[in-house]
């Protein structure tokens, strides 16, 4: 067992029944010229967490914790991308449009790929998801059931959208959830801060939060 000095109180987990889920660390969200930048966002805060997320990945792999990566992307014909999603906002390029890294958020295009520093290794599941939450229209739930997973550690982007949505989905399904505070990021610092507060409010109503260093120490003890 590992005890993590998390907030709002310590969390005990068993590595054998724990999985790390790295949410949407894709070029389209993190690199210049991607979908995130097309929305007018500064992508540098997201780039800054890549080394920390790599550390968390290394710690999980060393502790034999199951690792799962997600990518938000759509079929080339956009059959799984409703107009209510594609037409929202005022980006310079919309989902499916041609960008500098291929068509935006389309499965198989370079921009939809995970950044090289966080590339999955053999045996790690990669899930393509059409929605914000990783459980919606994906095999994630069945995969976790097969592995007898009880606790989920989360990293990735963005904190208030795909990460929080997936944590809430997981919480509703009975998983204990832990967010690595410095391995997640938002284009809006205030949104990240508010999300972290919401997650651990009222006695960890959604889940716990901890730093990557705190998780590393617990897993290496």
């Amino acid at each position: 067992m590992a005890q993590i000095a998390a907030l709002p109180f310590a969390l005990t987990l068993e590595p054998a029944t724990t999985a790390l889920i790295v949410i949407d660390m894709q070029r389209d969200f993190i690199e210049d010229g991607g979908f995130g930048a097309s929305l007018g966002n500064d992508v540098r805060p997201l780039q800054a967490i890549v080394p920390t997320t790599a550390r968390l990945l290394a710690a999980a792999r060393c502790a034999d914790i199951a690792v799962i990566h997600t990518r938000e992307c759509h079929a080339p014909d956009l059959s799984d991308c409703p107009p209510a999603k594609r037409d929202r906002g005022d980006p310079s390029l919309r989902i499916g449009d041609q960008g500098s890294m291929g068509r935006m958020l389309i499965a198989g295009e370079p921009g939809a790929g995970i950044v090289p520093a966080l590339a999955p290794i053999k045996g790690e599941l990669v899930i393509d998801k059409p929605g914000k939450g990783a459980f919606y229209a994906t095999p994630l739930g069945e995969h976790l059931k097969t592995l007898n997973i009880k606790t989920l550690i989360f990293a990735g982007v963005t904190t208030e959208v795909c990460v929080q949505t997936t944590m809430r989905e997981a919480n509703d399904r009975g998983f204990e959830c832990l967010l690595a505070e410095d391995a997640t990021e938002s284009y809006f610092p205030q949104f990240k801060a508010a999300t972290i507060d919401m997650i651990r409010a009222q006695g960890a109503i959604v889940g716990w939060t901890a730093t990557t260093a705190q998780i590393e120490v617990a897993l290496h003890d």
Side-chain angles (χ1 to χ4, degrees):
M1 302 293 284
Q3 186 174 73
I4 297 171
L7 290 174
F9 53 88
L11 171 66
T12 300
L13 58 82
E14 172 57 60
T17 58
T18 299
L20 169 64
I21 302 184
V22 183
I23 303 286
D24 299 358
M25 293 295 285
Q26 299 162 245
R27 298 181 66 198
D28 262 333
F29 294 128
I30 293 172
E31 295 185 8
D32 291 320
F35 184 68
S38 81
L39 293 167
N41 296 309
D42 180 358
V43 297
R44 288 174 295 179
L46 276 62
Q47 294 171 354
I49 68 162
V50 171
T52 314
T53 308
R55 279 177 47 205
L56 184 62
L57 265 173
R61 290 163 176 164
C62 186
D64 291 325
I65 286 175
V67 175
I68 299 164
H69 306 258
T70 74
R71 300 180 296 207
E72 182 179 348
C73 53
H74 296 277
D77 64 0
L78 298 178
S79 58
D80 57 359
C81 182
K85 179 178 183 179
R86 186 174 189 271
D87 297 341
R88 191 164 300 166
D90 188 28
S92 59
L93 293 170
R94 296 189 181 276
I95 295 171
D97 288 351
Q98 186 69 36
S100 62
M101 294 183 285
R103 294 178 66 203
M104 295 284 184
L105 293 183
I106 296 298
E109 296 286 341
I114 294 167
V115 295
L118 305 176
I121 63 174
K122 184 178 180 180
E124 294 178 351
L125 179 67
V126 180
I127 289 180
D128 288 342
K129 61 184 184 66
K132 297 174 177 63
F135 286 87
Y136 169 68
T138 78
L140 178 58
E142 285 302 311
H143 183 72
L144 296 175
K145 183 177 180 180
T146 299
L147 295 178
N148 193 32
I149 298 299
K150 295 178 171 54
T151 304
L152 298 173
I153 300 172
F154 287 91
V157 298
T158 60
T159 313
E160 77 279 9
V161 184
C162 294
V163 176
Q164 179 179 208
T165 300
T166 305
M167 286 189 75
R168 289 180 179 275
E169 288 180 326
N171 177 269
D172 284 346
R173 287 163 172 80
F175 294 99
E176 303 280 30
C177 299
L178 171 68
L179 176 63
E181 297 177 19
D182 51 355
T184 185
E185 195 50 84
S186 170
Y187 299 117
F188 308 96
Q190 68 273 27
F191 290 178
K192 174 182 175 178
T195 301
I196 288 173
D197 286 343
M198 286 188 285
I199 285 168
R200 66 188 185 207
Q202 302 177 76
I205 192 169
V206 174
W208 288 258
T209 71
T211 65
T212 295
Q214 289 169 326
I215 296 169
E216 286 176 318
V217 167
L219 294 181
H220 291 161
D221 281 349

